[in-house]
Amino acid sequence: MSSSELMTSQEYIQHHLTNLTFGYHPEHGLGFAHDSAGAAAMGFWAINVDTLFFSILLGGLFLWFFKGVAEKVSAGVPGAAQNFVEWIVDFVEDNVRGSFSGKNAMVAPLALTIFAWVFLMNLMDLLPVDLIPYMFGQFMATLGADPHHVYLKVVPTTDPNATFGMALTVFFLVLYYSIKMKGVGGFLGELTLQPFGKWGMPANLILEGISLLSKPVSLALRLFGNMYAGEMIFILIALLYGGGIVLAGTAGLLQFVWAVFHILIITLQAFIFMVLTIVYLDMAHQHH
């Protein structure tokens, strides 16, 4: 916890909640932001490098592990890895069969990818909050950087850019299948003729439009809000380590208790994101 000893509590919290951002600064040109104000000045097209790195890394880990197990599947007594993967696949397929009434071979693989990927991203929250950021800061210090201006967030789902990116992808799939299955006229008819019939305009469009747009917003904000709050609690607990032996012991106990409880949260949030995706795609395939 040496980083917290060199910073105030507010600076420590702010440091852990700031992404490693790369973009074009109006005054300093192209480069990495040195603080949250610099990241904000870079605007919309700035890239949160840490979010991209860890999300791609974890997505690759998921693909590598499942592909490796699939290539070694045996008809005899399965090993531990095969049992584990088959359990997850069966779990996802059961949820797809229970929530999706249409016929679409894409839904089950998509649901599996969402559940495993979101779970792995959430799982990064169980790592000690200072471990990887401190190691990265020390590495950058050897290259001449100031560790206090080196930021790294290791939980991609605490970044709304990641959660909204996934939610918007699901939203575009919902729009695509809504139009594909019902046609442009059928889709527009759902937006304009329900729930009050042809005499209900423009109330129909307002109500159905809000209902449609709330899907990606609820997906993104639910996942982001829960993971951001969980990360904040870990950071607040970590601050106690700098308050003496008694507070450090209390922090250790609180950290363990919260980590155990947080396992449920990270799993539940991955499950909810997957189930809502299945339900939204099912609604897109239904004719009203």
Side-chain angles (χ1 to χ4, degrees), residues 62 65-66 69 73 78-97 108 111-112 115-116 119 263 267-268 270-271 274:
F62 156 68
F65 179 70
F66 274 68
V69 172
V73 168
Q82 183 177 333
N83 270 326
F84 176 69
V85 169
E86 288 179 351
W87 175 77
I88 294 179
V89 172
D90 288 341
F91 169 74
V92 172
E93 286 184 342
D94 287 342
N95 279 276
V96 172
R97 282 194 293 266
L112 174 63
F115 177 75
F119 175 79
I263 293 174
T267 307
L268 183 61
F271 174 74
M274 176 194 72

Side-chain angles (χ1 to χ4, degrees), residues 1-225:
M1 297 303 299
S2 59
S3 59
S4 65
E5 294 171 3
L6 300 174
M7 303 178 184
T8 65
S9 296
Q10 182 178 357
E11 290 171 340
Y12 177 77
I13 294 172
Q14 185 64 41
H15 190 275
H16 277 282
L17 296 180
T18 302
N19 285 98
L20 178 64
T21 306
F22 181 84
Y24 182 82
H25 193 281
E27 297 181 3
H28 308 296
L30 198 64
F32 288 96
H34 295 298
D35 50 37
S36 57
M42 290 180 175
F44 178 79
W45 295 109
I47 299 173
N48 289 343
V49 179
D50 44 11
T51 297
L52 282 176
F53 174 78
F54 285 108
S55 59
I56 293 173
L57 175 67
L58 294 169
L61 177 64
F62 156 68
L63 294 175
W64 169 79
F65 179 70
F66 274 68
K67 182 176 182 295
V69 172
E71 291 175 345
K72 299 177 182 179
V73 168
S74 61
V77 179
Q82 183 177 333
N83 270 326
F84 176 69
V85 169
E86 288 179 351
W87 175 77
I88 294 179
V89 172
D90 288 341
F91 169 74
V92 172
E93 286 184 342
D94 287 342
N95 279 276
V96 172
R97 282 194 293 266
S99 304
F100 187 75
S101 58
K103 292 183 179 180
N104 191 328
M106 183 273 298
V107 174
L110 175 65
L112 174 63
T113 302
I114 286 175
F115 177 75
W117 195 23
V118 173
F119 175 79
L120 288 175
M121 289 191 285
N122 292 350
L123 191 64
M124 296 294 287
D125 211 8
L126 296 184
L127 293 175
V129 294
D130 280 313
L131 179 60
I132 297 181
Y134 175 77
M135 294 170 60
F136 182 67
Q138 295 305 303
F139 169 74
M140 294 303 294
T142 63
L143 302 179
D146 182 356
H148 288 87
H149 292 158
V150 176
Y151 304 97
L152 191 73
K153 287 179 66 177
V154 302
V155 188
T157 44
T158 60
D159 183 354
N161 294 285
T163 60
F164 269 97
M166 291 186 292
L168 288 175
T169 301
V170 172
F171 181 62
F172 291 140
L173 286 173
V174 169
L175 293 180
Y176 171 76
Y177 283 109
S178 293
I179 296 173
K180 180 180 179 180
M181 303 303 294
K182 306 164 189 176
V184 175
F187 176 59
L188 293 178
E190 285 189 351
L191 292 179
T192 57
L193 300 179
Q194 295 185 27
F196 302 120
K198 63 181 180 179
W199 304 110
M201 284 289 291
N204 290 336
L205 182 60
I206 294 174
L207 291 175
E208 289 297 319
I210 293 175
S211 176
L212 182 65
L213 294 177
S214 68
K215 289 180 172 63
V217 175
S218 64
L219 272 178
L221 291 183
R222 180 183 293 103
L223 179 58
F224 163 71

Side-chain angles (χ1 to χ4, degrees), residues 200-270:
M201 284 289 291
N204 290 336
L205 182 60
I206 294 174
L207 291 175
E208 289 297 319
I210 293 175
S211 176
L212 182 65
L213 294 177
S214 68
K215 289 180 172 63
V217 175
S218 64
L219 272 178
L221 291 183
R222 180 183 293 103
L223 179 58
F224 163 71
N226 280 276
M227 297 312 301
Y228 187 88
E231 178 72 0
M232 177 63 78
I233 291 176
F234 275 123
I235 292 172
L236 293 175
I237 292 174
L239 284 171
L240 296 177
Y241 282 105
I245 297 178
V246 175
L247 286 180
T250 303
L253 177 62
L254 289 175
Q255 196 167 38
F256 173 77
V257 172
W258 180 244
V260 172
F261 178 72
H262 206 53
I263 293 174
L264 173 63
I265 295 176
I266 64 179
T267 307
L268 183 61
Q269 291 307 311

